[in-house]
Amino acid sequence: MVNSSFQFSRPVLVKSEFQLNDDFKVEEGADIEMKIDASVDKNVDADSRTAMVALTLKIGAKDSNYPFFINITEQAGFKWNENLDGVYEQLLNQNAPALLLGYIRQMVVELTAASPYSAYHLPFIDFTKN
């Protein structure tokens, strides 16, 4: 087995906010709104092929339409070899956010499981679509 030419540093939790909405009335089958935003800050030159990628996930809102509001940002540094110069954009925009979502996923389960509501499990996200 060989390590990938695309590597990452230890992901870091940058922001975590959780709030229950006391006025929420339980409704069966109600969907919870979810927004995802990924930002990529690249440093690409002859000596450095690195980027800092941050993924922010917001679930629900601070109102009575949702049981809770979650706002989490996770980030990590990424680096790659020159042999990936033709595909690093795709890796930064698809693979990197997917990796970071995996770290956020467990936090969301733990936060919501400790609430009066059931644990919320994030669905798979297709980062190939903008």
Side-chain angles (χ1 to χ4, degrees):
M1 190 173 342
V2 177
N3 285 345
S4 171
S5 296
F6 187 66
Q7 292 294 318
F8 66 98
S9 65
R10 181 178 70 85
V12 175
L13 177 64
V14 176
K15 181 176 185 172
S16 177
E17 181 181 1
F18 177 80
Q19 177 181 319
L20 285 176
N21 294 321
D22 295 331
D23 297 332
F24 176 74
K25 303 293 185 237
V26 177
E27 297 177 25
E28 290 297 319
D31 288 333
I32 297 179
E33 183 177 314
M34 184 172 68
K35 295 179 184 175
I36 296 177
D37 181 48
S39 66
V40 179
D41 183 20
K42 296 178 287 212
N43 180 18
V44 182
D45 59 39
D47 297 325
S48 177
R49 289 171 175 84
T50 62
M52 184 64 67
V53 179
L55 185 73
T56 299
L57 172 71
K58 293 181 182 179
I59 303 172
K62 293 180 181 180
D63 63 42
S64 62
N65 293 321
Y66 301 99
F68 49 78
F69 173 70
I70 296 175
N71 184 1
I72 295 179
T73 301
E74 188 85 8
Q75 76 178 20
F78 291 82
K79 63 181 181 178
W80 59 94
N81 297 354
E82 62 277 352
N83 63 343
L84 295 178
D85 280 350
V87 296
Y88 74 87
E89 291 279 353
Q90 179 180 354
L91 295 169
L92 291 173
N93 291 307
Q94 296 173 10
N95 296 48
L99 173 100
L100 294 172
L101 185 63
Y103 284 85
I104 291 174
R105 180 174 271 115
Q106 187 58 37
M107 288 184 269
V108 169
V109 168
E110 290 176 13
L111 285 170
T112 56
S115 79
Y117 307 103
S118 299
Y120 183 76
H121 296 273
L122 295 173
F124 283 121
I125 304 298
D126 183 355
F127 287 101
T128 64
K129 312 280 190 266
N130 289 342

